[in-house]
Amino acid sequence: MRSARRNLLALTTAGAVVAGLGATAYVSAPTPAPPAPQAKHHPQKPSAKPLAGLRVLISNDDGMQAAKPSHSDGLGLYELRRAMCAAGADVVVMAPWQVQSGKGTAVTNGGVLTAQRRTALPQGYENDCAGTPSGSPVFGVCVADGPCGKDTPSATPADTVKLALRGGLKAKVGWSGDPDVVLTGINSGPNIAASVNDSGTVGAAVAAIDQQVPAVAFSAEGDATNTSYPVQTYRATAEFGARFLAGMRQNKLLTGKFAVKVDYPDTTNGEKVKAPVWTRVGNGAAIYHDYEQKNGGDSFDITMGLCEGKLSSGGECDESRKDADQVWLLEKNHVTIAPITWDRTYGTSIDGTRELRKLESYVKHSAPRV
């Protein structure tokens, strides 16, 4: 039932921030000398691989460890990488070293960042991008002047994108100029309504459009318990994402004026995933942070409050938008798509209205069905 999923949605956020990393193999020595810079190439003839020639940077807020049985620490990133390479893109991953869920657009203001290449990819994903021009390396970014270790603090999602665009990609893989698009995710759990403001997945996409680089943020629901994130749903999200991105490219809809947020429903609950819809970010909340004082003292437990049964009761739980992302995703089981902007100036005139109308038309009339 859709209401049951809303009841348990708080566990999505809680599960995403659980600590603990599995053992994985990385290099601490410098990365081999990058290949000579290559000019961007966009094929003129139709290709069986619709993303051929497209250079893609991937980041997220779940990190790149992919070691937890719940799949909440970056497995979605590898599914996204696989789908993009299968469609012909040249992909480089530069993601947080550890889970950074809820970091929004936060950045690290001092110290040293290390982009450390992962040498042993998760089982089953080792050869997904064989033969790409860059070799499609996966880098984890930590806050350290030296090798990243199990307990090394992680860079934020926005850090990783800013680092990549401001010299990291050139230094590590020899890319001259910006990538054609930045993809973030696939996040473990939806990023909808008020939680969008906290989302590191969305924050990383905002960091890209800050530099006028097109960006798409992908998130996917968990299973019925919202404590586990099935590969099946990640894969469906990634495959839809590759087709959606190919359509955006074909229709010349890639723009740095705003980012695009895509949320994909659970595929394991027996319900049919419905066609993508054009939505707005909800003005209510599905969940919210709450704080419980401990023993009347100075300490407070951080808990997650639920909005079940409160969506019309006023306050932060009140959702008044009929086209809200959370309504169409949680209640109606549609893929939801919404534009996101970096501009927090209230009442400002909207830039990119022509591009926005074209994208809305694409979503409504010709975006890939599911």
Side-chain angles (χ1 to χ4, degrees):
M1 296 173 61
R2 308 304 294 179
S3 60
R5 290 163 66 188
R6 191 186 290 278
N7 275 330
L8 292 165
L9 188 60
L11 296 175
T12 297
T13 301
V17 298
V18 175
L21 300 172
T24 44
Y26 305 90
V27 295
S28 56
T31 305
Q38 298 180 2
K40 294 183 181 180
H41 174 63
H42 301 278
Q44 299 301 311
K45 296 181 180 180
S47 170
K49 293 185 177 293
L51 298 182
L54 198 74
R55 298 195 308 185
V56 176
L57 169 69
I58 296 181
S59 186
N60 67 356
D61 73 359
D62 287 339
M64 37 67 72
Q65 302 286 345
K68 295 179 181 178
S70 66
H71 302 152
S72 64
D73 62 337
L75 192 72
L77 178 151
Y78 293 96
E79 284 292 333
L80 190 60
R81 176 178 180 267
R82 164 186 274 174
M84 295 302 152
C85 285
D90 187 13
V91 177
V92 174
V93 171
M94 199 166 283
W97 178 248
Q98 298 182 21
V99 173
Q100 293 287 287
S101 181
K103 293 294 184 179
T105 56
V107 294
T108 304
N109 286 328
V112 177
L113 297 179
T114 292
Q116 186 163 304
R117 184 169 183 172
R118 182 169 188 171
T119 58
L121 299 185
Q123 185 176 1
Y125 297 92
E126 300 91 341
N127 300 312
D128 289 340
C129 297
T132 61
S134 69
S136 295
V138 175
F139 298 98
V141 184
C142 67
V143 183
D145 189 0
C148 306
K150 179 180 178 181
D151 299 319
T152 306
S154 179
T156 70
D159 282 337
T160 66
V161 172
K162 290 176 183 289
L163 171 64
L165 299 182
R166 296 176 178 174
L169 287 171
K170 182 177 181 180
K172 303 301 282 187
V173 297
W175 280 5
S176 59
D178 292 325
D180 296 297
V181 65
V182 174
L183 305 181
T184 62
I186 301 166
N187 189 65
S188 57
N191 279 305
I192 50 177
S195 63
V196 170
N197 291 327
D198 302 326
S199 167
T201 304
V202 174
V206 169
I209 60 171
D210 276 346
Q211 302 300 305
Q212 292 79 52
V213 178
V216 184
F218 293 97
S219 302
E221 277 196 283
D223 65 8
T225 70
N226 279 299
T227 59
S228 183
Y229 305 91
V231 174
Q232 174 181 323
T233 300
Y234 282 143
R235 186 157 298 181
T237 307
E239 291 176 353
F240 170 82
R243 292 184 290 132
F244 181 73
L245 185 63
M248 290 183 67
R249 184 194 196 193
Q250 181 180 3
N251 290 281
K252 298 181 179 180
L253 297 174
L254 292 173
T255 176
K257 293 183 177 179
F258 52 85
V260 181
K261 181 179 73 74
V262 179
D263 288 272
Y264 204 94
D266 177 23
T267 63
T268 65
N269 62 4
E271 295 186 47
K272 177 179 173 57
V273 174
K274 298 177 184 176
V277 292
W278 183 255
T279 66
R280 286 195 292 172
V281 175
N283 63 355
I287 58 173
Y288 57 91
H289 290 84
D290 206 357
Y291 307 91
E292 296 180 0
Q293 189 176 22
K294 298 182 66 174
N295 303 318
D298 296 333
S299 300
F300 293 78
D301 283 325
I302 302 172
T303 63
M304 303 306 297
L306 289 170
C307 284
E308 174 64 16
K310 304 176 184 178
L311 293 181
S312 300
S313 62
E316 61 189 311
C317 290
D318 190 26
E319 178 58 71
S320 63
R321 293 176 175 174
K322 293 181 180 179
D323 57 352
D325 50 5
Q326 66 168 335
V327 172
W328 284 91
L329 181 79
L330 297 179
E331 303 297 342
K332 300 182 180 181
N333 217 49
H334 283 264
V335 180
T336 63
I337 298 170
I340 300 292
T341 179
W342 56 269
D343 191 346
R344 291 180 170 85
T345 307
Y346 182 75
T348 189
S349 59
I350 299 173
D351 189 21
T353 54
R354 183 178 66 87
E355 293 88 346
L356 193 64
R357 287 195 300 268
K358 288 178 65 177
L359 180 62
E360 181 179 359
S361 178
Y362 166 66
V363 171
K364 289 181 175 179
H365 303 296
S366 55
R369 305 297 96 177
V370 292

